[in-house]
């Protein structure tokens, strides 16, 4: 039996899409939550690129959120039927991930003046640019990001929503009914619902 061990900080963040997929697949996994202080400093150099999340599979470490998600998606038949389907699903997942990176740029900014400036730009322009296109994609694909059926892009989006909402300080699915419905569909999947009910409660 394959052994999965997820290494990440005690937040949802980039670890949550991986946790969602592991839960969806009913994989038995160890959810290791790292302290950001000395404990992390001691093991950082042992990570493939000095960062987390890292998924250990039978004791071997693998890094980078999207490749890990894609690996799990392939095992779970959540990539698409054809190469072009896979391209579309990957493109959606990458855009969802890109918005997370844009939001993180202001969220992690230490200078309060620069943080406020970057946040205002993100809230006014960057986030709506992506979110409106996500809404259009889901609307035109029968309620999913591609092909009228569940893919890892849908799961990734719903898993990262808490981060979006916390940092932007508003519900990004408000006034975007297709994204809201997608969220409800993914969160109602039995194994994901079970994860949501039992996971540690964190803000983002």
């Amino acid at each position: 039996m394959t052994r999965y061990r997820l290494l990440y900080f005690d937040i949802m963040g980039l670890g949550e899409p991986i946790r969602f997929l592991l839960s969806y697949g009913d994989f038995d996994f160890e959810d290791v939550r790292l302290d950001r202080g000395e404990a992390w400093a001691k093991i950082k150099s042992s990570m493939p690129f000095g960062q987390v999340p890292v998924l250990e599979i039978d004791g071997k470490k693998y890094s980078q959120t999207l490749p890990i998600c894609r690996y799990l998606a392939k095992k779970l038949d959540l990539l698409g039927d054809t190469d072009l389907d896979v391209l579309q699903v990957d493109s959606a997942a990458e855009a969802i991930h890109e918005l997370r990176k844009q939001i993180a740029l202001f969220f992690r900014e230490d200078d309060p003046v620069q943080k406020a400036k970057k946040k205002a730009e993100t809230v006014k322009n960057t986030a709506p640019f992506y979110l409106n296109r996500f809404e259009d994609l889901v609307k035109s694909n029968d309620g999913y990001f591609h092909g009228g059926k569940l893919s890892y892009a849908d799961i990734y989006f719903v898993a990262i929503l808490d981060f979006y909402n916390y940092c932007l300080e508003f519900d990004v699915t408000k006034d975007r009914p297709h994204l809201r419905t997608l969220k409800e569909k993914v969160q109602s999947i039995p194994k994901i619902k079970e994860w949501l009910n039992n996971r540690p409660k964190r803000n983002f």
Side-chain angles (χ1 to χ4, degrees), residues 68-130:
I68 292 171
C69 287
R70 198 176 187 282
Y71 166 81
L72 294 171
K74 186 174 182 180
K75 296 180 74 67
L76 297 168
D77 193 26
L78 292 172
L79 277 179
D81 298 327
T82 70
D83 288 344
L84 287 177
D85 288 330
V86 174
L87 177 59
Q88 293 278 52
V89 171
D90 282 342
S91 295
E94 184 66 43
I96 295 161
H97 189 68
E98 179 62 29
L99 176 56
R100 190 217 65 87
K101 288 194 292 185
Q102 293 297 318
I103 292 171
L105 286 176
F106 81 75
F107 185 65
R108 295 174 180 164
E109 175 61 59
D110 292 325
D111 182 275
V113 174
Q114 287 300 314
K115 183 169 186 171
K117 182 179 179 181
K118 290 178 181 178
K119 181 179 179 181
E121 172 64 21
T122 302
V123 170
K124 181 180 178 181
N125 295 313
T126 307
F129 174 86
Y130 281 94

Side-chain angles (χ1 to χ4, degrees), residues 15 21 28 35 41 46 59 73 82 87 97 108 114 118 124 142-143 161 183 189 193 198:
L21 285 163
D28 184 24
D35 183 282
S46 69
T82 70
L87 177 59
H97 189 68
R108 295 174 180 164
Q114 287 300 314
K118 290 178 181 178
K124 181 180 178 181
D142 296 324
L161 269 178
K183 178 185 77 170
I189 294 169
K193 184 177 181 179
N198 295 317

